[in-house]
Amino acid sequence: MLPLDQGIRNEILTAQGNIVISASAGTGKTHTTIERIIKDSEENKGYQTFAAITFTRKASKEIIKRLGPKKGEGFVGTNDNFIWLEIIQPFMYDVFGKDFKKEIKPDFSDENQINTFQQGIEKVRNTSLMCKYSNVRENFAFQLALKIIKKSHSCRRYLKSKYYRLYVDEYQDSDVDMHNFFMYLSDELKIPLFIVGDSKQSIYRWRGAYSDGFKELMEKEVFNDFELYHNFRSNRVIQNYSNIFMEEVRKHYHYTEFNNEVILYKYNNEHEAAEYINSWLDVNKKCAFLNFSNANAERWSQHLNNVGIPFVFIPGSPLDRTNLESEHIWIVRSIAHYLLQHRYSEYDFMDEIPMPEAYRISEIRKRLVNIMNAKNALEQFRNDCLNLYSYLGYNNTVEKIINEIERLYDVVNDKRYTPTYNQDSYELTSGTIHSSKGLEFEQVIINAGDYNFSSGDGINFLHYVAISRPEERLLIIAQNFNIERYKGYIDDAILKTQGLGKNIAIDDVIKIIE
């Protein structure tokens, strides 16, 4: 008998046509995707290649690293970069005229917002910059890409002839316009898709994520649907506790011996809670206190330090705020990593450049060293950064660039942000739930007061992300006026699990200390 869901993984590697995989936390979805890419590339004897599309550069770099030389001519990059390089830049003029036969660069800053599609077209015509809607639930770039594909025979022929399959990760975070775009590639161009996602981990609904699109694929007749549910990261007790809260995986609850791996502790004041955490914590193992906000994360790190446990506050960087988005914001973000992150080199910086082949590593290194040497002198720092921007071809929006550089200067000269860029270096951390996605900890602490499921806004999804992070132990603390509400969530989850014919009691999944 094949162990766990290995039989399903084997089916995933051999299935033909469109494939959609619902992959719960810790199930090894990236490993499975890499295996399928390698298998497909080895079997592909023609001239076509593949595209692996992700939401972040970090995820793209991880795929490139794992593929190694097997990447070949394949495209690996973010969804925005894919449509920009493969559709908008080369084919926009084919649909909208010769005025658009020029270099078009992305700029998603708040100053470059539009309200209608036609306004966006005129913005690109007049500025050569991509833009975004003021309504975060609409995506101008993907609407434009779809329009170009539908209107340009050359674009359709190019995509169909180049790609034998597209692999799309974290699909639950796609918005409606992204979903429409990928469905056109599948339904009309007949380019097979390999899609991985988890609707339970959709934590970006506030900015337009359309997790229902992923759910639709699981029911779509032309897609082979699979589910990966075995969490290799967490022990069975943690899996059971996280599974009972989500309808999609509640059926995977299986009784196992419970040894207080999950505890709900009622506290009257924060000092009392910190004292209990001190007695509960195994300081020899990695632990994260996951909070809803930066302010709470900082406050709890102070309380914990006051009782003698050195939790490090991980603040969100001002450079990651959405109101800074622009075509070149990646430069200051990468400089910050170079100046603050241990083991981040000029080679890592090169990986962030959209088209690194156009630049020399020696020139990048020289400019980064100059910036580092000037990091305590604002005027020289600003000039050296501008020199790097200019070398990379960004010199037409100086006022905006200087604003970015000055924020960068504040960050690199504020010791509070050193942990932000070196989170893996610390054993005990207090940060936000959003910052934890993709990370693993042996122990996790959350505050029940952060979760009011009735408020909407995807709070139940944030809760799932938080409680599925730990490998071994989970502690939930609840102030006296929050504990009854949270216990109600547990009771409801247990009743729904019992409704599936599961023999489960509250003592099987959590210990409550009041």
Side-chain angles (χ1 to χ4, degrees), residues 59-125:
S60 299
K61 287 170 65 176
E62 179 65 21
I63 290 176
I64 292 171
K65 178 182 176 181
R66 294 203 198 184
L67 284 175
K70 295 184 182 294
K71 172 182 175 294
E73 298 299 315
F75 174 95
V76 181
T78 64
N79 41 38
D80 285 328
N81 217 28
F82 178 76
I83 61 170
W84 173 39
L85 293 175
E86 294 291 82
I87 299 170
I88 296 172
Q89 182 63 65
F91 296 106
M92 188 169 183
Y93 78 93
D94 195 33
V95 175
F96 295 98
K98 62 182 181 180
D99 287 351
F100 297 89
K101 196 167 187 177
K102 57 185 177 180
E103 185 178 13
I104 300 168
K105 293 184 176 181
D107 184 351
F108 303 117
S109 60
D110 286 347
E111 298 85 16
N112 204 28
Q113 291 184 352
I114 43 93
N115 294 314
T116 68
F117 184 83
Q118 191 56 42
Q119 282 180 359
I121 299 300
E122 294 307 313
K123 179 79 75 171
V124 177
R125 186 196 306 274

Side-chain angles (χ1 to χ4, degrees), residues 155-341:
C155 181
R156 294 194 300 274
R157 185 173 60 184
Y158 168 76
L159 293 172
K160 289 171 66 174
S161 63
K162 182 172 182 178
Y163 293 111
Y164 61 75
R165 187 180 295 277
L166 267 59
Y167 306 81
V168 188
D169 193 16
E170 303 287 4
Y171 198 85
Q172 77 279 353
D173 290 331
S174 296
D175 57 39
V176 170
D177 294 308
M178 291 179 184
H179 178 64
N180 292 338
F181 170 83
F182 287 119
M183 289 305 96
Y184 187 87
L185 297 184
S186 170
D187 296 342
E188 302 300 328
L189 301 191
K190 305 303 180 184
I191 299 174
L193 302 181
F194 183 99
I195 286 175
V196 182
D198 182 9
S199 58
K200 304 184 299 302
Q201 296 192 71
S202 179
I203 61 176
Y204 297 113
R205 295 188 174 201
W206 56 273
R207 69 180 189 197
Y210 178 61
S211 63
D212 286 347
F214 177 73
K215 293 178 181 178
E216 289 171 12
L217 295 187
M218 298 297 294
E219 304 295 330
K220 197 167 183 177
E221 188 174 337
V222 295
F223 274 79
N224 297 296
D225 61 288
F226 299 93
E227 181 187 11
L228 295 178
Y229 60 86
H230 182 77
N231 181 345
F232 291 100
R233 174 177 62 220
S234 303
N235 61 35
R236 172 59 73 180
V237 173
I238 299 293
Q239 291 179 53
N240 276 341
Y241 189 70
S242 57
N243 284 347
I244 66 172
F245 283 93
M246 304 302 287
E247 181 180 0
E248 299 92 326
V249 288
R250 197 170 281 135
K251 62 187 177 184
H252 297 307
Y253 169 85
H254 292 291
Y255 175 80
T256 191
E257 184 178 353
F258 179 77
N259 292 303
N260 299 337
E261 291 92 342
V262 182
I263 291 176
L264 173 61
Y265 174 78
K266 176 184 175 181
Y267 68 93
N268 295 305
N269 58 68
E270 293 176 342
H271 178 76
E272 178 186 314
E275 289 283 10
Y276 181 79
I277 291 170
N278 196 12
S279 66
W280 170 86
L281 183 69
D282 184 343
V283 295
N284 297 311
K285 295 182 177 181
K286 203 158 192 170
C287 182
F289 194 141
L290 303 179
N291 299 267
F292 189 75
S293 68
N294 265 315
N296 286 348
E298 183 172 22
R299 192 177 77 253
W300 278 106
S301 70
Q302 292 170 350
H303 286 306
L304 294 166
N305 276 271
N306 288 341
V307 298
I309 38 181
F311 270 74
V312 177
F313 170 48
I314 308 292
S317 171
L319 299 176
D320 292 333
R321 293 173 185 165
T322 55
N323 64 358
L324 272 184
E325 293 303 320
S326 71
E327 57 166 323
H328 38 62
I329 187 61
W330 66 267
I331 299 177
V332 290
R333 288 172 178 164
S334 299
I335 295 173
H337 281 282
Y338 181 80
L339 298 181
L340 296 176
Q341 183 177 326

Side-chain angles (χ1 to χ4, degrees), residues 4 50 138-139 148 197 215 301 368 393 424-425 440 444 453:
L4 304 172
F50 70 89
E138 290 189 277
N139 190 322
I148 291 171
K215 293 178 181 178
S301 70
L368 287 173
D424 286 344
S425 301
E440 299 176 4
V444 164
F453 289 6

